[in-house]
Every structure is written in structure tokens, then in C-alpha cells.
């Protein structure tokens, strides 16, 4: 007997080979297969008459096979079959290529549904290589699945049909009946049957609604469970202290947005419940100063701050800026990254544990068990979208029992409210919607590779004027398997130092270099000793060298829009006019043209979102969230609210989901958190 966790090889027609194809799609069990939802449907509910079929547009035609021609061999490996079909009114000449068995299966005088693009002229309409379906009056929609090579929608549909028949346990619904009722959701079996083989549009809408609800409901339950531990606890208490000492530490005036955000944070820090605030601001908007103000405030309150950054380069940079900023204040700062020597690490850990250090900046290394604090009051994560939920929780857990630290997360990626709501829960938001004074928008140009030498000349003129530049390459190094035509940082740095930039200080930076080497290169670039930095995307997040004014990005088509925007954010950080030159053979690409037109990160994100879809764009996996199979996280805030309320009600009554009626839920959630790596 088959259950939802039975291996798909149990199904007829699924052998080892097809199981491997399914594995590529992440499908191992019958349950996985049933949750592999169609990406689209072929609509048979309104088939066209042959005469009025739209020209060269996909459409379905119901027609009877009138005659079949014998196989015609066009050349070796290519044979052609012609089939004449009619709908009683006009004829349709259908051609198939290399489709011996499919054509043999067509019976003369029998009616079929043909789906394809009709061309030809009136009186002689034609269709090439249509999909063929039996003329089943109950077939209103045929599912179209996201596929991998070797699998067709037909195969998947046949396997799913069988799975729906055989699988035991479909009638058990993990969602409690009162929730089904209150939200007018259809049963799970009906939903699965109709998402794959809808009888009509209404049934499909009901199925979608139920499955979207289910997915968001589980997600909310999972997040609720993850968060529960932290919410019970009280915050490290802090009280008002004068910030005058802090405002004297730097030469510029804060922007209005920075000041407002700082005030919002400091008010939170004085409350008895932990701060849970997202600071969102475009690249270069000055998020680090807000974090610094909070760290200063915490230090004046005798509390420690841990700031976690996603890369060693960024951590080292924050450490240096803050060491300079806080010099003379008596606030002591340490750095902790994975690549530091054991003795240095141990020393920092000791100083953290006994309270000698007020601030520690670091990478994931901060999460190690051996890291303990004397009095952790504030946790800051920079470039939050790079961290998983679980990592953020792990750091927050390091405060002593009963005192949850305040949490500030910073991100340049605009997150839609729906998604933020799920990831962060009752999260407060501060937005830096104002750039520091004197910033000029980065001018962005798109050029094709033959113009590159001229661009190098442009860069040289800026270097001669005492400015600095980046050249970004998609690869570290050319290898046997590197796709052709891609620039690599290693070769490019060597060539440029020899040719176009001989006589200039050229440095190289990529992720495979030793940490000490990376640090030295960054320091040399920061101090101006290096004028040109040839690098991979390791500089993408957060690197801040105000003297850099030009960035050239090789093979720009290889990068996502938001990534290009982040990269571009490395220039335009000082007062001088800055430039970003995108080099690509695809100079007519709408994506690349779009980024030339706007400097606004939110607009770029919108554009990116349109092109890529939410799952990929927001890196749900990076957030430590399972990828949504069906729910559109962007569209339906009302549904997010409803599922959240339902999930909270369940958790309020049964926090650990230990009641017998919640067992199926508990199992699902556990599996979800496991696959998400939380
Ligand atoms: P991001 O928001 O991208 O993290 P940063 O915090 O790195 O931005 O700030 C970018 C640069 O702007 C830094 O060199 C920082 O010192 C500078 N900066 C921050 N705030 C101001 C301000 N109010 N006026 C002028 N420069 C500022
Ligand atoms: Mg930053």
C-alpha cells in the first residue's frame, strides 16, 4: 500500500531513470510529487474552430483525424508525418517530426484535442508538432509542469493521476477542521485533485486558495515556533544617556532620516521588551552610523554589542571604521572572524566573556558555542538578507538567561511587507530614505566589449586625478569548465597591470585568497596605495572606500539587477562625481538598460522582481525559509494575515503541537524547518 512517504518508484512507469529525473526536481516521494504543482494549464474549455483559430497563437482545436500519410524520410535522422484533421467545417493539416509512435497511436475517424499554433491561410490551415490529448469532455484544463529534460508534462500528469488514486492518507487533513471551516477551505484531497486536473476555473481557484493558505499557514507555524523562545524573555534594560559625546565623533551632520532612525532605535532600547527592528536603506544611505549610535548607547549603559557581517572583508572594514570612530571614547572593540589565528580568537573570546570588550564585530564565527558574553545587550546584523533566521536567533541566544538582547537588522534589500511580516514577525521598520548631503547619483553606462579600451582610458584619467576605481569580473580564475568569453579577476588583473594600467597600482581581490592577503589588499586600497582594484563580487556588500569613483563591470549580463546595484553602490560614496560602466555584448538588454536609468534601489528591486519572481529574488533559502511552491508572497497580504492569525491561535492553545490532532502539523513543521536548515 502506498502512503505519501512512499518512494515514487512505487508508481507504474517510474523506474530508476525517471526517479533520477524527479530527484532533480526535488521529488522523492509520492507526497512530493503531489505537491509538484503545475506552473500553467492548457485551456481546453473553449476550443477554437479551425477556421477561426488565431494565427500563430497557442490554441486548442478539437478535430477528427481524416487521413494519415505514410512516413516521409527527409534526411538521415529526420522523418515527417502528415495528418489531415477536420472539425466538419474546415480542414487542418498537421505535421509531426520524428513522432512515429505518437502518430501511430492516432486512430482515423477518432476525435482529439490538438494544442499548438495554427498557421497557414483560410482553406488550408496548418499546425506543426501539436500536443495531442484524448477528446475527453471532462478535460477542461491540462496541467503544464515546470520540467527538467527527459520529463514531459504528460508523463508527470500520468504519474500524478496514479498517485492520486493509490496514495493512502490523502483524506487525512493536517489542517484542523475548525480552521478549514472558518476560512472556507476545501479538503486537501479535492485541492490536490483540482490543482492538477481542474474541472473548471472555479474549482481551480478553490484549490489554489486552499493550497496557498496551507503553505502560508505552515510557514507561520514554523516561524512562530522558532520565535517563541525569544519572545518570552525580557530585554536587557537600558536607560537614557546623553548622546552628545557620540555626535562629536564625526565631522558631518547626520541626515534627517539617520537622526530619526537613531531616535526610534534608542527609544526601543529603553523599553523592557527586546527591540526587533529592521533598518532598511539603499546602499550608501549610511546605515552603519545608525548601528554605531546604538552600540554607543548600549556601551554607555554597560551593555555589549555584537555586530555580525556576512563577509570577512566587511567585518574587517566595520572593525576598522569603528575603531577609528570610537578612538578616545574608552569603548573597546574586538574583531572575530573564522580565519583569525587560534590564539587571537581565544584572546577576543576571553575579553568578551569577562566584559573587557564593549563591541565585537565579526562573521559567522560569532555564532560558535565557545563565544560567550558578559552582558550582551544588542545584536546587529548587517546585510541581513545574507543570513538565515536561525543564525540571527543563535546570536541572540547568547545573552544570559532571562535577558534577550535587542536586535537591529540592517538591509539594503527592500523586502515586501508581507514577507517581512513572516520573517520578522512584529517587526518595526526604520527607513533611510535620504542620502547624505553632497552625494551625486552614480552615472551608469552600458557599452559593448569593443569599447572597453576607451573605457580604460576614461578610468586612467580618473586615476590620474587622484581617484580610485574597481573592475569587477564574474570569475575568479579561468578553469577548464569556465564558460567561454567570461573575464576572470586573476587573468584580468595580470593583463591590466601589464598593459592598459602599467605604471598604476593594480591590486586583486577574490574569495579564494587567504584572509590576511585580502585584508592587506583592502587596506592598501583604502589607504590609496592601490589605485585600481580588480575583483570578483566579494566587494559586493558594504565595502566603503569613498575615494573610489569609477566601477567597470565585465560581463554585466551575468549579474542580477540587485547585485549590479549593490556593486555600483561601492562608488559614489564621496563628494566626487562617480561612474559605473557595464560591459556586455547584450547592449539591447532591457534589464541592463533599466539599471542605467535609475539609481533608486527600490526601483531596481521592483524591476528585478518582475523579471525573476519572488522566490529567487528574495533568496528565501538565504532567509532560512522553505521555497514557496505556490503562495505568491507579494500579492496577498490579507491571506498572510489570516494564516498568521490561524497559526497563532493554534500555537496559543498548543505551543509545542503535542495534542494528538496536531500531530500531522507537528511532523510537517519539523520537516519544513529541517529542509530549511533552521
Ligand atoms: P550603507 O547604508 O550602504 O551601509 P554606509 O553606512 O557604509 O552605507 O555609509 C556610506 C558612507 O557614507 C560612509 O563612508 C559613511 O561614513 C558616510 N556617511 C554616513 N552618514 C553620512 C552623513 N550623514 N553625511 C556624510 N557622510 C555620511
Ligand atoms: Mg553597509
Amino acid at each position: 500500500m502506498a502512503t505519501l512517504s512512499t518512494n515514487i518508484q512505487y508508481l507504474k512507469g517510474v523506474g530508476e531513470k525517471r526517479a533520477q529525473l524527479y530527484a532533480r526536481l526535488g521529488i522523492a516521494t509520492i507526497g512530493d510529487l503531489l505537491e509538484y504543482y503545475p506552473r500553467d494549464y492548457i485551456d481546453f474549455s473553449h476550443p477554437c474552430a479551425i477556421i477561426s483559430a488565431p494565427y500563430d497563437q497557442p490554441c486548442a482545436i478539437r478535430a477528427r483525424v481524416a487521413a494519415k500519410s505514410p512516413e516521409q524520410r527527409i534526411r538521415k535522422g529526420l522523418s515527417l508525418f502528415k495528418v489531415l484533421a477536420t472539425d466538419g467545417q474546415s480542414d487542418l493539416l498537421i505535421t509531426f517530426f520524428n513522432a512515429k509512435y505518437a502518430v501511430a497511436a492516432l486512430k482515423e475517424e477518432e476525435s482529439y484535442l490538438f494544442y499548438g499554433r495554427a498557421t497557414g491561410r483560410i482553406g488550408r490551415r496548418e499546425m506543426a508538432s501539436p500536443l495531442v490529448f484524448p477528446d475527453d469532455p471532462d478535460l477542461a484544463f491540462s496541467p503544464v509542469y515546470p520540467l527538467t529534460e527527459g520529463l514531459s508534462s504528460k508523463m508527470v500528469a500520468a504519474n500524478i493521476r496514479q498517485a492520486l488514486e493509490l496514495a493512502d492518507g490523502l483524506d487525512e487533513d493536517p489542517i484542523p477542521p475548525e480552521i478549514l471551516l472558518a476560512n472556507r477551505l476545501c479538503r486537501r484531497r479535492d485541492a490536490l485533485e483540482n490543482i492538477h486536473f481542474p474541472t473548471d476555473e472555479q474549482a481551480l481557484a478553490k484549490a489554489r486558495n486552499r493550497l496557498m493558505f496551507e503553505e502560508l499557514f505552515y510557514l507561520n507555524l514554523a516561524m512562530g515556533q522558532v520565535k517563541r523562545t525569544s519572545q518570552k524573555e525580557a530585554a536587557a534594560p537600558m536607560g537614557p544617556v546623553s548622546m552628545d559625546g557620540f555626535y562629536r565623533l564625526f565631522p558631518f551632520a547626520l541626515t534627517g532620516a539617520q537622526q530619526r532612525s537613531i531616535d526610534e532605535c534608542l527609544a526601543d532600547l529603553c523599553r523592557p521588551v527586546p527591540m526587533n527592528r529592521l533598518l532598511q536603506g539603499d546602499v550608501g544611505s549610511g546605515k552603519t552610523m545608525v548601528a554605531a549610535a546604538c552600540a554607543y548607547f548600549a556601551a554607555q549603559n554597560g551593555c555589549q554589542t555584537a555586530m555580525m557581517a556576512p563577509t570577512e572583508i566587511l567585518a574587517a572594514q566595520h572593525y576598522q571604521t569603528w575603531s577609528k570612530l570610537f578612538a578616545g571614547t574608552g569603548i573597546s572593540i574586538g574583531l572575530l572572524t573564522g580565519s583569525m589565528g587560534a590564539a587571537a580568537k581565544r584572546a577576543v573570546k576571553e575579553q568578551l566573556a569577562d566584559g573587557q570588550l564593549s563591541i565585537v564585530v565579526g562573521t559567522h564565527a560569532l555564532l560558535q558555542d565557545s563565544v560567550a558574553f558578559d552582558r550582551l545587550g544588542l545584536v546587529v546584523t548587517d546585510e541581513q538578507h545574507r543570513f538565515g533566521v536561525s543564525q540571527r536567533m543563535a546570536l541572540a541566544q547568547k545573552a544570559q538567561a532571562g535577558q534577550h538582547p535587542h536586535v537591529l537588522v540592517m538591509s539594503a534589500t527592500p523586502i515586501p511587507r508581507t514577507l517581512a511580516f513572516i520573517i520578522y514577525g512584529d517587526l518595526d521598520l526604520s527607513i533611510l530614505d535620504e542620502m547624505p548631503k553632497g552625494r551625486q547619483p552614480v552615472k551608469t553606462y552600458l557599452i559593448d566589449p569593443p569599447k572597453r579600451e576607451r573605457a580604460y582610458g576614461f578610468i586612467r584619467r580618473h586615476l590620474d586625478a587622484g581617484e580610485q576605481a574597481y573592475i569587477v569580473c564574474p570569475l575568479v580564475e579561468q578553469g577548464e569548465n569556465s564558460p567561454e568569453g567570461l573575464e576572470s579577476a586573476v587573468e584580468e588583473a595580470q593583463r591590466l597591470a601589464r598593459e592598459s594600467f602599467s605604471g598604476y597600482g593594480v591590486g586583486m581581490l577574490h574569495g579564494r585568497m587567504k584572509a590576511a592577503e585580502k585584508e592587506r589588499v583592502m587596506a592598501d586600497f583604502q589607504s590609496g596605495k592601490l589605485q585600481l582594484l580588480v575583483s570578483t563580487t566579494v566587494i559586493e556588500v558594504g565595502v566603503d572606500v569613498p575615494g573610489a569613483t569609477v566601477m567597470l563591470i565585465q560581463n554585466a549580463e551575468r549579474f542580477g539587477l540587485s547585485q549590479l546595484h549593490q556593486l555600483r553602490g561601492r562608488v559614489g560614496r564621496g563628494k566626487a562625481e562617480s561612474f559605473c560602466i557595464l560591459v556586455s555584448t547584450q547592449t539591447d538588454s532591457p534589464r541592463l538598460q533599466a539599471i542605467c536609468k535609475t539609481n533608486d534601489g527600490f526601483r531596481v528591486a521592483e524591476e528585478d522582481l518582475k523579471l525573476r519572481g519572488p522566490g529567487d529574488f528574495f533568496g528565501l533559502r538565504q532567509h532560512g525559509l522553505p521555497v514557496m511552491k505556490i503562495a505568491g508572497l507579494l500579492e496577498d497580504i490579507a491571506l498572510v494575515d489570516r494564516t498568521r492569525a490561524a497559526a497563532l491561535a493554534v500555537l496559543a492553545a498548543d505551543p509545542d503541537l503535542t495534542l494528538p490532532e496536531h500531530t500531522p502539523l507537528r511532523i510537517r513543521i519539523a520537516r519544513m524547518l529541517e529542509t530549511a536548515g533552521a
Side-chain angles (χ1 to χ4, degrees), residues 578-599:
S578 294
F579 304 89
C580 177
I581 304 165
L582 308 176
V583 183
S584 174
T585 49
Q586 300 172 16
T587 46
D588 51 1
S589 149
R591 287 173 62 235
L592 296 179
Q593 286 175 354
I595 196 161
C596 293
K597 284 192 207 116
T598 181
N599 260 289

mmCIF file of all heavy atoms in Angstrom, residues 578-599:
data_model
loop_
_atom_site.group_PDB
_atom_site.id
_atom_site.type_symbol
_atom_site.label_atom_id
_atom_site.label_comp_id
_atom_site.label_asym_id
_atom_site.label_seq_id
_atom_site.Cartn_x
_atom_site.Cartn_y
_atom_site.Cartn_z
ATOM 1 N N SER A 578 30.594 60.149 -9.731
ATOM 2 C CA SER A 578 31.011 58.754 -9.902
ATOM 3 C C SER A 578 30.333 58.085 -11.083
ATOM 4 O O SER A 578 29.254 58.485 -11.511
ATOM 5 C CB SER A 578 30.712 57.963 -8.635
ATOM 6 O OG SER A 578 31.516 58.427 -7.592
ATOM 7 N N PHE A 579 30.984 57.015 -11.583
ATOM 8 C CA PHE A 579 30.537 56.358 -12.804
ATOM 9 C C PHE A 579 30.544 54.848 -12.657
ATOM 10 O O PHE A 579 31.412 54.294 -11.980
ATOM 11 C CB PHE A 579 31.469 56.731 -13.968
ATOM 12 C CG PHE A 579 31.585 58.201 -14.160
ATOM 13 C CD1 PHE A 579 32.555 58.937 -13.472
ATOM 14 C CD2 PHE A 579 30.711 58.870 -15.016
ATOM 15 C CE1 PHE A 579 32.644 60.305 -13.631
ATOM 16 C CE2 PHE A 579 30.808 60.244 -15.181
ATOM 17 C CZ PHE A 579 31.776 60.971 -14.489
ATOM 18 N N CYS A 580 29.589 54.235 -13.311
ATOM 19 C CA CYS A 580 29.578 52.782 -13.375
ATOM 20 C C CYS A 580 29.434 52.394 -14.838
ATOM 21 O O CYS A 580 28.516 52.843 -15.522
ATOM 22 C CB CYS A 580 28.415 52.232 -12.559
ATOM 23 S SG CYS A 580 28.286 50.441 -12.649
ATOM 24 N N ILE A 581 30.381 51.592 -15.327
ATOM 25 C CA ILE A 581 30.366 51.202 -16.731
ATOM 26 C C ILE A 581 30.085 49.713 -16.824
ATOM 27 O O ILE A 581 30.843 48.897 -16.304
ATOM 28 C CB ILE A 581 31.723 51.524 -17.393
ATOM 29 C CG1 ILE A 581 32.038 53.015 -17.197
ATOM 30 C CG2 ILE A 581 31.702 51.161 -18.866
ATOM 31 C CD1 ILE A 581 33.482 53.366 -17.486
ATOM 32 N N LEU A 582 28.973 49.381 -17.440
ATOM 33 C CA LEU A 582 28.620 47.976 -17.609
ATOM 34 C C LEU A 582 29.103 47.525 -18.977
ATOM 35 O O LEU A 582 28.749 48.140 -19.983
ATOM 36 C CB LEU A 582 27.102 47.793 -17.520
ATOM 37 C CG LEU A 582 26.427 48.389 -16.289
ATOM 38 C CD1 LEU A 582 24.914 48.214 -16.380
ATOM 39 C CD2 LEU A 582 26.968 47.737 -15.024
ATOM 40 N N VAL A 583 29.903 46.486 -19.006
ATOM 41 C CA VAL A 583 30.370 45.972 -20.283
ATOM 42 C C VAL A 583 29.625 44.683 -20.583
ATOM 43 O O VAL A 583 29.596 43.771 -19.760
ATOM 44 C CB VAL A 583 31.885 45.674 -20.243
ATOM 45 C CG1 VAL A 583 32.361 45.206 -21.615
ATOM 46 C CG2 VAL A 583 32.649 46.903 -19.795
ATOM 47 N N SER A 584 28.988 44.654 -21.761
ATOM 48 C CA SER A 584 28.242 43.455 -22.115
ATOM 49 C C SER A 584 28.009 43.411 -23.606
ATOM 50 O O SER A 584 27.876 44.444 -24.253
ATOM 51 C CB SER A 584 26.893 43.451 -21.392
ATOM 52 O OG SER A 584 26.123 42.364 -21.844
ATOM 53 N N THR A 585 27.963 42.195 -24.142
ATOM 54 C CA THR A 585 27.598 42.064 -25.555
ATOM 55 C C THR A 585 26.105 42.347 -25.727
ATOM 56 O O THR A 585 25.653 42.638 -26.813
ATOM 57 C CB THR A 585 27.882 40.634 -26.059
ATOM 58 O OG1 THR A 585 27.320 39.722 -25.122
ATOM 59 C CG2 THR A 585 29.363 40.378 -26.191
ATOM 60 N N GLN A 586 25.363 42.260 -24.622
ATOM 61 C CA GLN A 586 23.909 42.444 -24.721
ATOM 62 C C GLN A 586 23.508 43.901 -24.467
ATOM 63 O O GLN A 586 22.821 44.202 -23.498
ATOM 64 C CB GLN A 586 23.200 41.531 -23.725
ATOM 65 C CG GLN A 586 23.517 40.075 -23.985
ATOM 66 C CD GLN A 586 22.992 39.158 -22.906
ATOM 67 O OE1 GLN A 586 22.140 39.526 -22.100
ATOM 68 N NE2 GLN A 586 23.508 37.938 -22.881
ATOM 69 N N THR A 587 23.925 44.777 -25.365
ATOM 70 C CA THR A 587 23.647 46.189 -25.112
ATOM 71 C C THR A 587 22.177 46.544 -25.315
ATOM 72 O O THR A 587 21.754 47.640 -24.984
ATOM 73 C CB THR A 587 24.496 47.096 -26.027
ATOM 74 O OG1 THR A 587 24.428 46.562 -27.340
ATOM 75 C CG2 THR A 587 25.925 47.168 -25.576
ATOM 76 N N ASP A 588 21.402 45.602 -25.885
ATOM 77 C CA ASP A 588 19.976 45.918 -26.030
ATOM 78 C C ASP A 588 19.139 45.248 -24.936
ATOM 79 O O ASP A 588 17.920 45.244 -24.994
ATOM 80 C CB ASP A 588 19.470 45.508 -27.417
ATOM 81 C CG ASP A 588 19.844 44.072 -27.743
ATOM 82 O OD1 ASP A 588 20.478 43.418 -26.886
ATOM 83 O OD2 ASP A 588 19.507 43.596 -28.849
ATOM 84 N N SER A 589 19.803 44.694 -23.927
ATOM 85 C CA SER A 589 19.063 44.031 -22.853
ATOM 86 C C SER A 589 18.238 45.031 -22.045
ATOM 87 O O SER A 589 18.768 46.008 -21.515
ATOM 88 C CB SER A 589 20.058 43.323 -21.930
ATOM 89 O OG SER A 589 19.560 43.295 -20.603
ATOM 90 N N PRO A 590 16.931 44.786 -21.924
ATOM 91 C CA PRO A 590 16.081 45.719 -21.176
ATOM 92 C C PRO A 590 16.512 45.812 -19.704
ATOM 93 O O PRO A 590 16.437 46.869 -19.092
ATOM 94 C CB PRO A 590 14.686 45.108 -21.277
ATOM 95 C CG PRO A 590 14.734 44.081 -22.347
ATOM 96 C CD PRO A 590 16.157 43.677 -22.509
ATOM 97 N N ARG A 591 16.981 44.691 -19.158
ATOM 98 C CA ARG A 591 17.435 44.696 -17.760
ATOM 99 C C ARG A 591 18.574 45.688 -17.589
ATOM 100 O O ARG A 591 18.568 46.541 -16.714
ATOM 101 C CB ARG A 591 17.988 43.339 -17.376
ATOM 102 C CG ARG A 591 17.014 42.241 -17.198
ATOM 103 C CD ARG A 591 17.751 40.924 -16.998
ATOM 104 N NE ARG A 591 18.585 40.925 -15.803
ATOM 105 C CZ ARG A 591 19.882 40.653 -15.772
ATOM 106 N NH1 ARG A 591 20.521 40.346 -16.862
ATOM 107 N NH2 ARG A 591 20.552 40.685 -14.660
ATOM 108 N N LEU A 592 19.589 45.511 -18.446
ATOM 109 C CA LEU A 592 20.782 46.338 -18.286
ATOM 110 C C LEU A 592 20.458 47.795 -18.584
ATOM 111 O O LEU A 592 20.984 48.705 -17.953
ATOM 112 C CB LEU A 592 21.903 45.820 -19.185
ATOM 113 C CG LEU A 592 22.393 44.411 -18.816
ATOM 114 C CD1 LEU A 592 23.492 43.954 -19.766
ATOM 115 C CD2 LEU A 592 22.904 44.381 -17.381
ATOM 116 N N GLN A 593 19.560 47.994 -19.548
ATOM 117 C CA GLN A 593 19.185 49.380 -19.828
ATOM 118 C C GLN A 593 18.424 49.984 -18.653
ATOM 119 O O GLN A 593 18.582 51.151 -18.328
ATOM 120 C CB GLN A 593 18.353 49.440 -21.106
ATOM 121 C CG GLN A 593 19.229 49.232 -22.331
ATOM 122 C CD GLN A 593 18.422 49.174 -23.617
ATOM 123 O OE1 GLN A 593 17.192 49.184 -23.593
ATOM 124 N NE2 GLN A 593 19.120 49.114 -24.739
ATOM 125 N N ALA A 594 17.624 49.131 -17.997
ATOM 126 C CA ALA A 594 16.827 49.635 -16.872
ATOM 127 C C ALA A 594 17.735 50.161 -15.763
ATOM 128 O O ALA A 594 17.475 51.218 -15.180
ATOM 129 C CB ALA A 594 15.926 48.531 -16.330
ATOM 130 N N ILE A 595 18.816 49.452 -15.498
ATOM 131 C CA ILE A 595 19.646 49.875 -14.371
ATOM 132 C C ILE A 595 20.440 51.138 -14.708
ATOM 133 O O ILE A 595 20.833 51.900 -13.818
ATOM 134 C CB ILE A 595 20.563 48.745 -13.879
ATOM 135 C CG1 ILE A 595 21.081 49.107 -12.495
ATOM 136 C CG2 ILE A 595 21.706 48.470 -14.831
ATOM 137 C CD1 ILE A 595 21.599 47.985 -11.722
ATOM 138 N N CYS A 596 20.646 51.385 -15.986
ATOM 139 C CA CYS A 596 21.316 52.632 -16.364
ATOM 140 C C CYS A 596 20.415 53.831 -16.068
ATOM 141 O O CYS A 596 20.887 54.942 -15.884
ATOM 142 C CB CYS A 596 21.668 52.635 -17.846
ATOM 143 S SG CYS A 596 22.926 51.425 -18.257
ATOM 144 N N LYS A 597 19.114 53.581 -16.067
ATOM 145 C CA LYS A 597 18.177 54.693 -15.960
ATOM 146 C C LYS A 597 17.850 55.104 -14.539
ATOM 147 O O LYS A 597 17.349 56.193 -14.315
ATOM 148 C CB LYS A 597 16.883 54.349 -16.708
ATOM 149 C CG LYS A 597 17.056 54.461 -18.210
ATOM 150 C CD LYS A 597 15.726 54.401 -18.929
ATOM 151 C CE LYS A 597 15.901 53.858 -20.330
ATOM 152 N NZ LYS A 597 15.207 52.588 -20.536
ATOM 153 N N THR A 598 18.067 54.221 -13.571
ATOM 154 C CA THR A 598 17.696 54.620 -12.217
ATOM 155 C C THR A 598 18.775 54.291 -11.189
ATOM 156 O O THR A 598 19.507 53.310 -11.333
ATOM 157 C CB THR A 598 16.365 53.975 -11.765
ATOM 158 O OG1 THR A 598 16.069 54.431 -10.445
ATOM 159 C CG2 THR A 598 16.449 52.459 -11.763
ATOM 160 N N ASN A 599 18.856 55.139 -10.185
ATOM 161 C CA ASN A 599 19.783 54.933 -9.082
ATOM 162 C C ASN A 599 19.053 54.516 -7.820
ATOM 163 O O ASN A 599 19.639 54.369 -6.771
ATOM 164 C CB ASN A 599 20.532 56.239 -8.785
ATOM 165 C CG ASN A 599 21.907 56.223 -9.407
ATOM 166 O OD1 ASN A 599 22.779 55.505 -8.945
ATOM 167 N ND2 ASN A 599 22.099 56.990 -10.459
#
